[in-house]
Amino acid sequence: MGRLFGTDGVRGLANRDVTAELALGLGVAAANVLGRTGQPDGHRPRAVIGRDPRASGEFLGAAVTAGLASAGVNVLDVGVLPTPAVAFLTSTLDVDFGVMISASHNPMADNGIKFLARGGIKLEDSLEDEMERQLHAEWDRPLGAEVGRVRRDTGSAGADYVEHLISSIGATGDALPLSGLRIAVDCANGAASDVGPAALRAAGADVVVMNASPDGRNINEKCGSNHPEQLQAVVVASEADFGVAFDGDADRCIAVDHRGVLVDGDQIMGVLALAEKEKGRLADDTLVVTVMSNLGLILAMRDAGIRTVQTGVGDRYVLEEMRAKGYTLGGEQSGHIILSQFATTGDGVLTALQLAARIQQSGAKLADLAGAVPKLPQTLLNVRGVDKARAATDGVLQEAVAAAEARLGETGRVVLRSSGTEPLVRVMVEAATQATADAVAESLAGVVRDRLAL
């Protein structure tokens, strides 16, 4: 069997891969690992748990909570809130760890369980491995008054999170920094359906809300950051200044300008990086991105005197680099953007507020701001049924890649990336024109098929 924990907790089809029994066991394991780490004798461990609104989160959350309490952990159940809200509360409430029940942007039938260490940060691999070992270990069951207690939040947690968000752009008291802006918001029928619009309104914006009626079944369904078509139409029809779309657990944000044109995570990062540099708040004038970020972003940042550091694909690798070097801004093309001055993880609502504040302060339209971060044409092909393990070592393939890179020069690049779960290799090519990107990608995909065929 493979490792239980993936790049973002435990995730799979709810009630088949991610079951109530597994959730219960993980709750106990978390209590015995995260609840005991570095704590003095006699300390009663505490945890906060939240979830997105998908139906399976109800029984999975209850099972995790039961496991935690049975192992002596006091639990604060904050109900439906975004992943970054649970991370924020884990930090500010000074609990031992946090738990989020969500499958993020995945379809409704999936679900997942993610744990956050003290301070609201992602777990190190060693802690996840220890929890996995604890799933099959004997443990001492507390009795009587030693069992944990469960308290359900009555709304103050969400209010505290919103207050934190709006304070990041100076929206306190009578100060309404987004006054005069009309913003369309697609909440993906997810965890930000209440707090997302509430934060933008509290900052003074006129908010046009869509897909904010979660029923447990409609999360991410033809809406949100993975399906921005509705938002694009609504922005134009409502004459909004711009729009934003979150995913199911609101750790992502993409945008749409007043013309209905999509502005992805790369362009948002570029806009925010330029703003942070202007304010002198961009640590080491550095932006952290993944190898899949568009070359247009990297070139635009270079021209602006901003260095880019590239990591492997996945927000955890961006976070690791940011924490190791003290960088303050990073993220992914998907809209998973981390502003470490205000958050320990990607936060879609925070990103929306920061973007809105930049638009308001600059007096420019989003289309003009995003225009400073042009996107090079990009082609991505998935080559299936190949021996992905040989992609990095096959000499003929590597020569083909080198020749393609020489042909593209400084205005293009090639990325070959093996899938972590399937027998496929992803071929990504960026070039000065779409025709060149398509031609080079097709050529390299052919070499991959010929050389790595199973």
Side-chain angles (χ1 to χ4, degrees):
M1 292 180 63
R3 189 171 185 267
L4 177 63
F5 285 86
T7 56
D8 205 25
V10 177
R11 189 178 294 184
L13 186 60
N15 219 23
R16 187 188 70 184
D17 305 319
V18 184
T19 63
E21 294 85 353
L22 175 60
L24 181 71
L26 284 170
V28 173
N32 289 326
V33 175
L34 305 179
R36 313 298 179 196
T37 305
Q39 299 303 327
D41 292 340
H43 171 83
R44 173 62 65 89
R46 297 186 302 144
V48 59
I49 184 170
R51 62 180 179 87
D52 72 26
R54 65 189 77 211
S56 59
E58 297 170 359
F59 77 78
L60 290 173
V64 173
T65 298
L68 293 171
S70 73
V73 176
N74 285 345
V75 181
L76 173 63
D77 183 348
V78 297
V80 175
L81 279 178
T83 291
V86 174
F88 165 75
L89 294 166
T90 300
S91 174
T92 57
L93 297 178
D94 195 32
V95 298
D96 296 284
F97 59 96
V99 189
M100 182 67 188
I101 311 297
S102 175
S104 190
H105 57 282
N106 282 28
M108 171 266 175
D110 290 343
N111 217 328
I113 305 170
K114 177 163 57 179
F115 295 90
L116 299 161
R118 177 178 284 276
I121 61 175
K122 290 199 171 187
L123 297 189
E124 296 179 358
D125 289 349
S126 59
L127 288 174
E128 291 179 340
D129 292 340
E130 177 60 21
M131 286 175 58
E132 190 165 344
R133 287 191 292 271
Q134 284 289 326
L135 279 173
H136 311 290
E138 295 291 329
W139 57 287
D140 294 328
R141 297 175 178 272
L143 302 174
E146 298 304 311
V147 301
R149 304 296 300 272
V150 180
R151 179 167 65 89
R152 286 175 173 79
D153 178 72
T154 58
S156 62
D160 290 346
Y161 173 59
V162 168
E163 184 177 347
H164 161 69
L165 290 175
I166 63 174
S167 69
S168 75
I169 58 168
T172 56
D174 295 330
L176 300 174
L178 304 187
S179 180
L181 280 182
R182 172 173 288 182
I183 306 172
V185 182
D186 185 343
C187 298
N189 291 313
S193 293
D194 289 332
V195 296
L200 290 163
R201 286 188 177 119
D206 173 16
V207 183
V208 180
V209 182
M210 53 189 297
N211 297 311
S213 301
D215 62 9
R217 301 180 300 275
N218 58 3
I219 187 171
N220 297 322
E221 186 178 4
K222 297 180 181 179
C223 59
S225 60
N226 277 14
H227 301 280
E229 299 82 11
Q230 285 188 57
L231 177 64
Q232 291 172 291
V234 168
V235 166
V236 174
S238 64
E239 299 183 344
D241 292 287
F242 72 105
V244 292
F246 310 129
D247 64 338
D249 70 335
D251 64 355
R252 297 185 183 192
C253 173
I254 62 166
V256 170
D257 71 21
H258 72 286
R259 306 164 301 173
V261 176
L262 192 66
V263 178
D264 68 13
D266 280 344
Q267 291 176 296
I268 294 173
M269 280 192 289
V271 170
L272 295 182
L274 292 170
E276 291 294 286
K277 185 176 189 296
E278 184 180 293
K279 297 173 185 175
R281 298 194 318 198
L282 186 65
D284 291 337
D285 288 339
T286 298
L287 173 67
V288 183
V289 300
T290 76
V291 294
M292 298 304 283
S293 276
N294 194 278
L295 181 60
L297 168 65
I298 295 166
L299 296 176
M301 294 298 97
R302 185 188 65 186
D303 291 345
I306 296 173
R307 186 170 70 106
T308 52
V309 174
Q310 292 179 290
T311 74
V313 177
D315 65 283
R316 73 180 300 156
Y317 303 113
V318 175
L319 273 166
E320 285 173 3
E321 183 69 18
M322 291 177 68
R323 291 186 63 208
K325 305 291 178 57
Y327 300 134
T328 51
L329 180 62
E332 299 183 280
Q333 191 179 70
S334 63
H336 197 284
I337 297 169
I338 304 158
L339 297 112
S340 64
Q341 183 180 355
F342 307 110
T344 58
T345 186
D347 190 325
V349 184
L350 174 64
T351 299
L353 285 162
Q354 293 290 323
L355 184 62
R358 177 56 172 172
I359 292 169
Q360 187 77 312
Q361 291 162 8
S362 67
K365 292 185 178 296
L366 176 57
D368 297 325
L369 294 173
V373 191
K375 295 170 60 178
L376 290 182
Q378 184 182 88
T379 300
L380 176 64
L381 299 177
N382 291 329
V383 185
R384 299 181 182 277
V386 296
D387 182 2
K388 62 185 181 182
R390 292 194 290 118
T393 59
D394 184 86
V396 173
L397 177 57
Q398 294 308 308
E399 289 177 5
V401 170
E405 290 176 331
R407 173 185 173 185
L408 295 171
E410 291 189 357
T411 59
R413 65 180 181 132
V414 174
V415 176
L416 289 190
R417 178 168 163 259
S418 298
S419 169
T421 57
E422 301 176 80
L424 68 84
V425 172
R426 294 184 172 90
V427 179
M428 191 272 282
V429 176
E430 291 169 342
T433 67
Q434 190 64 59
T436 300
D438 291 344
V440 173
E442 287 287 356
S443 176
L444 286 175
V447 178
V448 171
R449 291 188 194 96
D450 292 343
R451 298 296 302 176
L452 308 184
L454 292 173

